[in-house]
Amino acid sequence: MQDLGRRIAGLLRPGDLVLLTGELGAGKTTLTRGLGEGLGVRGAVTSPTFVIARVHPSLTGGPALVHVDAYRLGGGLDEMEDLDLDVSLPESVVVVEWGDGKVEELSDDRLHVVIRRAVGHEEVLDDVREVVLRGVGARWSGGAGGGAGLRALAGVRSE
């Protein structure tokens, strides 16, 4: 998952909103750690569950990474407004774990990443994940934008 995060980071630019969906232990934070490495940000990327959001400034002059865990937030965008994500979004890459149904209104353009743990023969295969990338909006459609990059990620299904 970390390697995939590094590859996805190469497609990201300031203003991008990335929503991560997956069960506990699916790899959302591990993918975000890879995003942080790929973006060249400062600090260890760890789960922001108890602090809700962490900002990792860039060490390379690129966008900062704002990592949000919306698991404990149930109030949708109204509750998220207290985090000032709309202020951070234009100059940062904002990644929201558990953000489905809560932050979509922040941007017409967003990347949804759904991570599923593989199941085989009635057991969960801990090392195997299925990842679906779905770009929403003009930013992620067409050939010149992020859509072409999504299609180029080998072994990842994009919708």
Side-chain angles (χ1 to χ4, degrees), residues 48-55 66-69 83 85:
T49 299
F50 297 104
V51 295
I52 310 299
R54 283 197 172 97
V55 177
V66 179
H67 184 197
V68 180
D69 187 328
L83 299 176
L85 294 181

Side-chain angles (χ1 to χ4, degrees), residues 127-149:
D127 296 356
V128 181
R129 301 290 189 272
E130 176 189 30
V131 179
V132 178
L133 304 174
R134 183 171 54 92
V136 176
R139 159 80 172 100
W140 296 103
S141 64

Side-chain angles (χ1 to χ4, degrees), residues 52-148:
I52 310 299
R54 283 197 172 97
V55 177
H56 298 273
S58 176
L59 294 172
T60 63
L65 172 67
V66 179
H67 184 197
V68 180
D69 187 328
Y71 184 75
R72 296 172 172 268
L73 303 176
L77 193 57
D78 291 338
E79 193 169 352
M80 297 297 280
E81 283 181 354
D82 291 339
L83 299 176
D84 285 334
L85 294 181
D86 54 337
V87 173
S88 301
L89 189 59
E91 67 272 355
S92 305
V93 170
V94 176
V95 177
V96 184
E97 297 186 28
W98 305 99
D100 279 347
K102 297 177 181 175
V103 297
E104 288 88 344
E105 294 176 33
L106 285 173
S107 177
D108 291 334
D109 300 308
R110 57 195 171 276
L111 177 62
H112 287 255
V113 180
V114 179
I115 306 168
R116 294 184 188 98
R117 296 170 73 187
V119 177
H121 303 292
E122 299 182 20
E123 61 187 41
V124 174
L125 304 174
D126 283 335
D127 296 356
V128 181
R129 301 290 189 272
E130 176 189 30
V131 179
V132 178
L133 304 174
R134 183 171 54 92
V136 176
R139 159 80 172 100
W140 296 103
S141 64

